[in-house]
Amino acid sequence: MNKNKFDGGFDGIYIFRNRKLIDQISLGHNRFEDDSIDAEETFLKELEIYKKKISKKLERK
């Protein structure tokens, strides 16, 4: 992170129900400003990646 270029950050809340994005609130600039990026699809893909990583870590303990 380049502290000289830090813009104050971003705050976002994304609410899902049954794997569907039902509401979102965001302040600041974020990666979903580009309408070609689907927040719901992106979060669900990342969820699966992180679930696998967490499961692997838990298996090692």
Side-chain angles (χ1 to χ4, degrees):
M1 179 169 89
N2 184 341
K3 293 179 182 177
N4 295 325
K5 293 185 178 183
F6 184 65
D7 67 358
F10 163 75
D11 185 26
I13 299 170
Y14 297 85
I15 301 169
F16 284 79
R17 180 178 293 140
N18 297 324
R19 301 184 65 87
K20 295 290 180 195
L21 182 63
I22 61 169
D23 196 11
Q24 64 184 38
I25 303 165
S26 61
L27 302 170
H29 296 288
N30 68 76
R31 62 183 172 164
F32 301 119
E33 287 180 40
D34 180 349
D35 289 336
S36 69
I37 302 171
D38 184 313
E40 180 179 5
E41 180 181 332
T42 301
F43 277 126
L44 291 174
K45 282 181 184 177
E46 290 176 352
L47 170 67
E48 292 305 317
I49 291 167
Y50 296 133
K51 279 175 45 178
K52 287 178 186 175
K53 289 182 181 217
I54 291 169
S55 292
K56 284 183 182 179
K57 278 285 193 186
L58 291 173
E59 288 173 4
R60 291 182 193 161
K61 289 188 174 188

